[in-house]
Amino acid sequence: MRALVVIDAQNEFSPDGLMPVPGHAAAVTAIAHRVDQARGVGEPIAWVRHHNRPGQSRRFLPGTWGAEFTPGCGPLPGSADEAEFVKEVFGAFTGSAIGPWLEARRISEVTLVGFLTHMCVSTTAREALMRGLAVAIDPDATASEALHHPLLGELSAGEARRAALLHLVDLGVELAIQPSPQVESGSPS
């Protein structure tokens, strides 16, 4: 059985957030499409929310607007097929109950969507692979930020996303590409 895992679909990544991500609106549209599909077939949905610990950063602090789910995202109240998991690190499986929740539902495959492709999505994908789960990622339903390092150089947000997806595909992650009327680009550029 398959589950959808929505990672960090939070206000902090929006244009008004403290960590705005290029392509946020397009990724949120693709996430919403995936959520609608999952709900339509009764597929479980794990909603993962990131919280920073006090003193780490002023981003993603519990109780702030930035830490809230993006409008339209989050578990349906009263749904037995949807649950929220809070994490304080990059991977959704570390320090949360998502693993036992998926096991209780006999989930063997996960589709990952969310933010940031090169950080939390990538780490969660690797954790899922290490647990023996089949992993797919919808590249249209993810986004990254530009990366800069004085010795290593720079990657645009699109290049960071593409590099993360290339690494994950090389590890055995599938790309879950499907046409969506709301999303123009189906390529992981």
Side-chain angles (χ1 to χ4, degrees), residues 7-146:
I7 302 165
D8 302 347
Q10 295 170 258
N11 289 330
E12 210 70 275
F13 293 119
S14 73
D16 295 327
L18 295 175
M19 198 171 176
V21 174
H24 179 265
V28 168
T29 298
I31 290 168
H33 182 70
R34 284 286 176 178
V35 168
D36 288 345
Q37 286 181 321
R39 287 176 176 160
V41 297
E43 190 174 280
I45 303 173
W47 294 90
V48 180
R49 183 195 311 248
H50 185 83
H51 280 166
N52 276 346
R53 296 177 190 133
Q56 282 185 318
S57 165
R58 61 188 192 105
R59 301 181 303 218
F60 302 103
L61 291 178
T64 65
W65 175 84
E68 294 301 315
F69 284 120
T70 300
C73 292
L76 285 176
S79 173
D81 291 327
E82 299 185 32
E84 177 181 337
F85 301 93
V86 176
K87 64 180 182 60
E88 294 180 334
V89 295
F90 299 130
F93 286 88
T94 301
S96 83
I98 193 172
W101 187 81
L102 294 170
E103 289 169 14
R105 283 153 185 76
R106 301 178 196 263
I107 300 299
S108 59
E109 305 171 37
V110 292
T111 300
L112 306 181
V113 298
F115 303 96
L116 296 167
T117 317
H118 69 284
M119 291 177 82
C120 297
V121 173
S122 178
T123 304
T124 300
R126 292 165 192 263
E127 288 178 328
L129 288 170
M130 295 301 290
R131 291 174 171 264
L133 296 168
V135 180
I137 295 177
D138 181 343
D140 289 329
T142 68
S144 286
E145 63 183 347

